[in-house]
Amino acid sequence: MVKLKNCFQRREKKYKLSYEKYDQLVGKMKHYMQEDEYGLHTIISVYFDTDDYEMIRHSINKPVFKEKFRLRSYGVPIEDTNVFMEIKKKVKGVVYKRRVTLPYNQAREFFETRKNGFNFNSSKDMQIKQEIDWLVLRKKLEPKVMIAYDRRAFLYPQDEDFRVTFDFNIRYRTEKLDIAAGAEGERVAPEIDVLMEVKALGAYPLWFSEILGELQIYPASFSKYAQTYQRYLFTKEEFSHVV
């Protein structure tokens, strides 16, 4: 299980890399950063939205405030595997993630019955749970798409808030929307070899900025859920309303 904070804020930037640039970058980064103990691992997320995709349509319009909700697992879960219910908000370019951890079987029961039946010991987790209740139950969110990818993550020992991740083979499916059903799916963006995400609370370390400049690597806009919606779900959704 990947051990990450349940609450944090940071800025995130995406970069689209060729395999060649990825190899060059990792070769230079290894003098400063270390790969986390999990190596190459698979992340599976099911994104929830309203019946008419209100949340992702709002997000695509680049508002000051936007949010997403997803159920996430690191690897294919079994009954007692811990999974994450996550609310991801973005306000003026700053990402705020709030999530609770619970066994997969409890999460599955909640989404199947829509009954508010799970509780937590800490007041912080209970507050996040109440936010989740409001989103899921009041807005009647339902599973819309599974998105999975294989990730390598690198840590910077001198600054725990600075992380670099590389995502490979980003894929989606619109059936079997259960994280326990596996990570198989069709490629979201076949033209992208590697999607790099740089996560930082403040400025990048100088050495990292210099490497990006040397290799001519520049930021690029890319949201996994938004791209999936625009490329594959939008047409289906519009067609279903016409019919």
Side-chain angles (χ1 to χ4, degrees), residues 3-216:
K3 298 178 181 177
L4 297 176
K5 298 177 182 179
N6 276 8
C7 295
F8 60 83
Q9 67 182 67
R10 66 191 182 197
R11 293 185 181 272
E12 299 178 347
K13 284 189 178 181
K14 311 285 180 61
Y15 301 78
K16 301 174 185 178
L17 306 180
S18 66
Y19 288 125
E20 180 182 5
K21 283 289 178 70
Y22 160 75
D23 287 336
Q24 293 173 347
L25 177 58
V26 170
K28 294 178 179 294
M29 280 174 43
K30 284 186 173 179
H31 296 292
Y32 305 92
M33 304 186 76
Q34 60 189 42
E35 187 171 4
D36 71 15
E37 61 185 290
Y38 306 100
L40 185 66
H41 56 281
T42 300
I43 296 177
I44 307 170
S45 299
V46 171
Y47 285 79
F48 287 69
D49 212 324
T50 63
D51 181 59
D52 62 352
Y53 294 91
E54 174 190 343
M55 296 177 76
I56 193 59
R57 288 191 291 107
H58 177 73
S59 177
I60 290 171
N61 289 329
K62 300 186 182 302
V64 173
F65 169 82
K66 57 185 178 181
E67 64 184 345
K68 298 173 185 174
F69 176 74
R70 63 195 178 200
L71 178 65
R72 168 165 287 191
S73 175
Y74 294 85
V76 180
I78 56 177
E79 290 295 294
D80 59 351
T81 301
N82 279 342
V83 298
F84 301 89
M85 289 184 182
E86 299 184 347
I87 299 173
K88 186 175 182 180
K89 302 179 181 181
K90 192 171 186 179
V91 184
K92 296 182 179 179
V94 179
V95 173
Y96 301 84
K97 184 187 288 186
R98 295 166 64 77
R99 66 185 186 179
V100 292
T101 308
L102 72 166
Y104 163 71
N105 56 1
Q106 291 187 26
R108 183 188 61 202
E109 182 179 359
F110 171 71
F111 290 117
E112 287 177 350
T113 64
R114 298 303 168 108
K115 292 182 179 178
N116 185 353
F118 59 95
N119 292 291
F120 300 94
N121 294 325
S122 76
S123 58
K124 181 179 290 187
D125 283 347
M126 285 302 296
Q127 182 182 7
I128 298 172
K129 173 185 177 294
Q130 291 173 359
E131 293 180 40
I132 291 172
D133 290 341
W134 188 90
L135 271 177
V136 176
L137 302 178
R138 299 285 183 84
K139 299 191 78 169
K140 298 180 180 179
L141 300 187
E142 55 189 51
K144 288 296 188 179
V145 64
M146 185 284 305
I147 297 177
Y149 44 91
D150 307 312
R151 167 169 286 183
R152 293 182 71 191
F154 287 81
L155 313 175
Y156 184 40
Q158 281 70 40
D159 182 358
E160 64 177 11
D161 292 315
F162 182 71
R163 298 177 68 243
V164 180
T165 62
F166 299 97
D167 296 337
F168 309 85
N169 191 24
I170 303 168
R171 49 210 187 265
Y172 82 100
R173 67 170 181 264
T174 56
E175 299 178 346
K176 297 182 180 179
L177 297 181
D178 184 341
I179 54 177
E184 293 74 20
E186 300 296 323
R187 289 284 297 273
V188 172
E191 75 280 6
I192 298 177
D193 292 336
V194 185
L195 182 68
M196 177 174 71
E197 294 187 18
V198 181
K199 309 161 197 296
L201 188 56
Y204 292 178
L206 179 59
W207 59 264
F208 187 75
S209 296
E210 290 176 344
I211 291 174
L212 293 183
E214 178 187 346
L215 296 179
Q216 297 184 320

